[in-house]
Amino acid sequence: MVNHPPLHVVAFGRPGSGKSSLAERLGEAHGFAMVRTGVLLRDAVRQGDALGRQVEALLAAGRLVPDDLAYEVLARDLSALRHNRLLFDGFPRTLGQVPLMARLEQAVGFEIERYVEIAVSPDEALARMGGRRVCPTCAATYHLRKSPPKAEGVCDRDGTPLVGRADDAPEVLGVRQAVYDEHTGPVVEHYRRTAPDRFVAIDGEQPFEEVSRDLERALGLS
Ligand code: AMP
């Protein structure tokens, strides 16, 4: 097992920015443990546990779950965060979650070294949405045009038939953009302002390979 130097990253990007596909690629290539609140929350819904029952309708509507529940889904398995390379995809997502991230850093004993924004205009993001497919078994993300699976309709890793997401329904896509602008945009601005030496924005409108390369460079990984 390679012993990587510590690197803890938070990735931001509006729905349709390609953030999750980029994060996945980076995670696989550079040994990051992925921390994806969206995946953890959807798992809770699938399992039908108490948390899952509370958040199911909000997820399907493309609305954010309350800050304390977003924190709880992370904090209930702190051991998953004891890793010298973590990549947060989907947390913190509101200004109210900024101090909760600080609490998590304290509780686990790590520090975020980089905040990365995958910057894409709202129009481009909307145009890109809709082609996403996910693997219900391992949560791998594909895009029919940009990053299709090798064999049509099935996951490269485990052969599971790919599915769309409830919150990718056309009527929900606009809601998710608006939620990003209202709640997550201010978080990005917060870190851009308060942690300028740890913050980097990447042009997400370039071809996937170039964005991926810029991301690696920004993190000192290439
Ligand atoms: P994602 O897979 O990151 O797009 O997240 C899917 C959904 O999970 C979001 O639309 C929200 O309903 C919920 N969610 C994920 N992360 C958070 C968070 N940090 N705070 C509140 N809701 C979240």
Side-chain angles (χ1 to χ4, degrees), residues 6 10 26-27 46 49 55 59 63 68 74 89 91-92 94 102 116 126 131 135 138 149 166 178 180 189 208:
V10 177
L26 190 79
R46 228 185 351 254
D49 61 23
V55 300
L59 255 71
R63 303 261 168 213
D68 56 334
L74 291 172
D89 172 8
F91 188 91
T94 67
V116 185
L126 254 190
C135 172
C138 73
Y180 184 86
E189 292 318 309
F208 185 81

Side-chain angles (χ1 to χ4, degrees), residues 15 19-20 36-39 41-42 55 57-67 69-71 73-74 89-94 97 132 165 167 172 176 179:
K19 166 178 58 89
S20 292
R36 302 162 76 184
T37 39
V39 170
L41 289 164
R42 276 192 296 278
V55 300
L58 290 168
L59 255 71
R63 303 261 168 213
L64 296 180
V65 313
D67 291 341
L69 296 184
Y71 181 77
V73 82
L74 291 172
D89 172 8
F91 188 91
R93 211 146 160 159
T94 67
Q97 291 174 19
R132 175 160 55 180
R165 274 173 39 173
D167 58 355
V172 179
R176 292 176 53 219
V179 166

Side-chain angles (χ1 to χ4, degrees), residues 87-144:
L87 180 47
F88 285 85
D89 172 8
F91 188 91
R93 211 146 160 159
T94 67
L95 285 176
Q97 291 174 19
V98 167
L100 297 177
M101 178 53 120
R103 187 193 296 177
L104 203 64
E105 291 179 60
Q106 278 250 307
V108 181
F110 68 88
E111 204 181 327
I112 299 294
E113 285 98 358
R114 278 280 180 278
Y115 300 93
V116 185
E117 179 195 17
I118 312 297
V120 167
S121 73
D123 284 350
E124 171 71 12
L126 254 190
R128 287 179 181 185
M129 293 174 85
R132 175 160 55 180
R133 295 291 180 274
V134 293
C135 172
T137 304
C138 73
T141 312
Y142 301 89
H143 192 279
L144 296 183

